[in-house]
Amino acid sequence: MLFEFIATIAAAFGMAGLALIITHLSKLAGKRAPKWLIPLFAAIGMFAFQINQEYSWYGQQVRDLPEGVEVVKTAESKEWFRPWSYAKPQILRFIAADTGNASVQVDNPNIYLFNLYLFERRRSVEKVPQVIDCSVPARADYVIPEKGSTLTVDEHVKQTTAWRELTTDDPLFIKICTDEIV
């Protein structure tokens, strides 16, 4: 975030410098540029940089995902204080599933354990262990068993989780249950 702030200030100075050049060239041409030209260009530089960062954030995050981690859901945003988002909605949040490291349970071959990653602009990535039952279909947050627990994973999952239904066209169900997991 600090680097983004520094880059925003640099963009403002760069555009203000361009306005300064225009001001000096207008003096050479015998005309006078308005006094508000330099602050206007600085503001345009800051807004343009921030808007560019907001629209390119999603692509940068997806490009940096490790192999086996796939995006399963995105959330587009239209905000009144970002009027440009009505022309082209921004993706400021998305969910990625670690399908490459999903593990099928020996106790029940219809149950998979995997991690979901919740990404949001200007926030830390949140990792949420998940369990999915492909036979129902349903998913739940996975509560890691305590040390020394004698329950099987299947029994533990049934006792400690609150299941949420999944539809068969849900991207998470499709990625985990229908794709071949190696």
Side-chain angles (χ1 to χ4, degrees), residues 76-82 85-90:
E76 290 185 340
S77 174
K78 295 179 186 176
E79 305 290 340
W80 66 269
F81 54 87
R82 293 180 178 121
S85 68
Y86 286 101
K88 183 179 182 218
Q90 299 170 283

Side-chain angles (χ1 to χ4, degrees), residues 117-130:
Y117 296 98
L118 310 176
F119 289 82
E120 188 169 352
R121 176 112 167 99
R122 293 192 173 99
R123 290 211 175 167
S124 297
V125 178
E126 193 174 331
K127 177 180 166 184
V128 183
Q130 294 283 296

Side-chain angles (χ1 to χ4, degrees), residues 69-125:
V69 178
E70 300 179 38
V71 175
V72 291
K73 190 170 188 179
T74 59
E76 290 185 340
S77 174
K78 295 179 186 176
E79 305 290 340
W80 66 269
F81 54 87
R82 293 180 178 121
W84 53 87
S85 68
Y86 286 101
K88 183 179 182 218
Q90 299 170 283
I91 297 174
L92 299 177
R93 293 184 311 269
F94 71 94
I95 300 172
D98 190 359
T99 58
N101 292 317
S103 60
V104 65
Q105 293 308 299
V106 178
D107 303 338
N108 186 344
N110 290 320
I111 293 183
Y112 290 88
L113 296 176
F114 63 99
N115 290 318
L116 275 184
Y117 296 98
L118 310 176
F119 289 82
E120 188 169 352
R121 176 112 167 99
R122 293 192 173 99
R123 290 211 175 167
S124 297
V125 178

